């Protein structure tokens, strides 16, 4: 019995970490620190298989399947697309999701929020639902604001949902929206030029999809245009952007 207990205590737990993002940044660091606070230390009693896709969401299913083949004990996902890929890959390995932006019920991840059922639990974000509030804050910052350019990744479902939220808020605030779709990283510069040409008073960055891996470029372009901007994610403010209104994703991790 003593030997059995010792074996249980020294077993190395394998964690598969799957992220929409491009590197082991602040969120991954927060995750490692949180594990350490509970006595789980990488290289001692846990091993982490890190997988990042740098916004190339089509790679997520293959990487999720790879982690399942490695027989990890648990899957941790960052982002809705990563959570969906993990669910598709396994219905037996426990999945803990963070930063799952959107409606996890509508996406088929869980049965309901109180009792998710299946093999998935974790955090869902209210990023999209806060779109209207972000526009209100931008209006407070720029009281004479009459025209706002909203930049968004048209391939991202959460971005589309946020655009709809912002459109509704814009009507009630008497603000005109200039919708600028960004389909590829190369579209960024032209989108910012279009905002200037369209005489936007401010920028609204729906920071989903490919924007997650383009923080430095986006913030640099904001500084160049000298237009006040609000972001969906606080990561952009940490990178030098003006402001955001969002949940603390590092705290989730």
């Amino acid at each position: 019995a003593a030997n059995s207990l010792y074996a249980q205590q020294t077993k190395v737990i394998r964690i598969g970490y799957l992220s929409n993002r491009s590197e082991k940044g602040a969120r991954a660091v927060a995750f490692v620190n949180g594990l350490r606070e509970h006595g789980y230390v990488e290289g001692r009693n846990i091993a982490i298989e890190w997988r990042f896709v740098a916004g190339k969401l089509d790679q997520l299913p293959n990487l999720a399947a790879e982690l399942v083949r490695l027989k990890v004990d648990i899957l941790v996902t960052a982002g809705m697309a990563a959570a969906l890929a993990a669910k598709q890959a396994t219905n037996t390995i426990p999945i803990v999701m963070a930063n799952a932006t959107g409606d996890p019920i509508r996406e088929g991840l869980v049965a309901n929020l109180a009792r998710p059922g299946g093999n998935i639990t974790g955090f869902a974000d209210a990023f999209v639902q806060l779109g209207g509030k972000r526009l209100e804050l931008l209006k407070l910052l720029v009281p004479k604001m009459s025209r706002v350019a909203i930049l968004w990744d048209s391939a991202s479902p959460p971005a589309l949902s946020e655009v709809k939220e912002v459109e509704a808020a814009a009507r009630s605030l008497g603000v005109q929206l200039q919708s600028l779709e960004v389909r590829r990283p190369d579209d960024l510069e032209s989108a910012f030029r279009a905002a200037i040409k369209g005489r936007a008073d401010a920028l609204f960055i729906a920071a989903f999809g490919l924007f997650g891996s383009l923080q430095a470029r986006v913030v640099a372009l904001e500084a160049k245009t000298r237009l006040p901007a609000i972001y969906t994610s606080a990561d952009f403010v940490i990178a030098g952007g003006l402001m955001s209104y969002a949940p603390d994703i590092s705290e989730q991790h």
Side-chain angles (χ1 to χ4, degrees), residues 67 73 114 151 221 249 251:
L67 290 170
D73 296 295
L151 280 66
L221 286 166
I249 302 306
E251 192 67 26

Side-chain angles (χ1 to χ4, degrees), residues 92-152:
T92 56
I93 297 174
I95 298 168
V96 180
M97 59 184 181
N99 190 204
T101 301
D103 186 339
I105 299 174
R106 186 178 64 235
E107 296 290 348
L109 279 171
V110 298
N112 63 64
L113 298 181
R115 297 180 180 278
N119 60 321
I120 300 177
T121 188
F123 295 93
D125 294 328
F127 277 102
V128 169
Q129 294 89 332
L130 295 174
K133 185 64 177 180
R134 292 186 189 97
L135 191 65
E136 289 179 26
L137 292 171
L138 199 54
K139 180 73 171 174
L140 287 173
L141 182 71
V142 189
K144 295 182 180 180
M145 182 180 78
S146 62
R147 187 172 175 84
V148 176
I150 180 167
L151 280 66
W152 60 291

Side-chain angles (χ1 to χ4, degrees), residues 16-64:
Y17 183 96
L18 183 63
S19 172
N20 301 352
R21 306 179 74 79
S22 59
E23 60 185 8
K24 291 189 345 184
R27 299 175 184 183
V29 170
F31 176 59
V32 170
N33 290 341
L35 286 169
R36 185 179 293 111
E37 290 173 5
H38 290 280
Y40 298 100
V41 180
E42 196 172 4
R44 185 188 302 168
N45 53 5
I46 60 170
I48 304 177
E49 295 285 349
W50 300 97
R51 297 293 186 275
F52 301 91
V53 300
K56 298 176 182 177
L57 305 185
D58 59 332
Q59 296 180 3
L60 286 168
N62 287 337
L63 291 178

Side-chain angles (χ1 to χ4, degrees), residues 143-213:
K144 295 182 180 180
M145 182 180 78
S146 62
R147 187 172 175 84
V148 176
I150 180 167
L151 280 66
W152 60 291
D153 177 359
S154 55
S156 169
L160 176 59
S161 297
E162 183 170 30
V163 169
K164 292 178 180 178
E165 291 279 335
V166 175
E167 285 174 344
R171 287 192 292 269
S172 64
L173 292 170
V175 173
Q176 185 176 1
L177 281 186
Q178 179 187 9
S179 176
L180 298 171
E181 298 181 26
V182 178
R183 296 181 175 87
R184 302 168 300 132
D186 292 343
D187 294 339
L188 270 180
E189 282 78 2
S190 59
F192 275 86
R193 285 196 298 270
I196 294 295
K197 187 176 181 179
R199 297 183 178 180
D201 299 306
L203 301 171
F204 189 112
I205 312 295
F208 299 107
L210 62 83
F211 279 94
S213 59

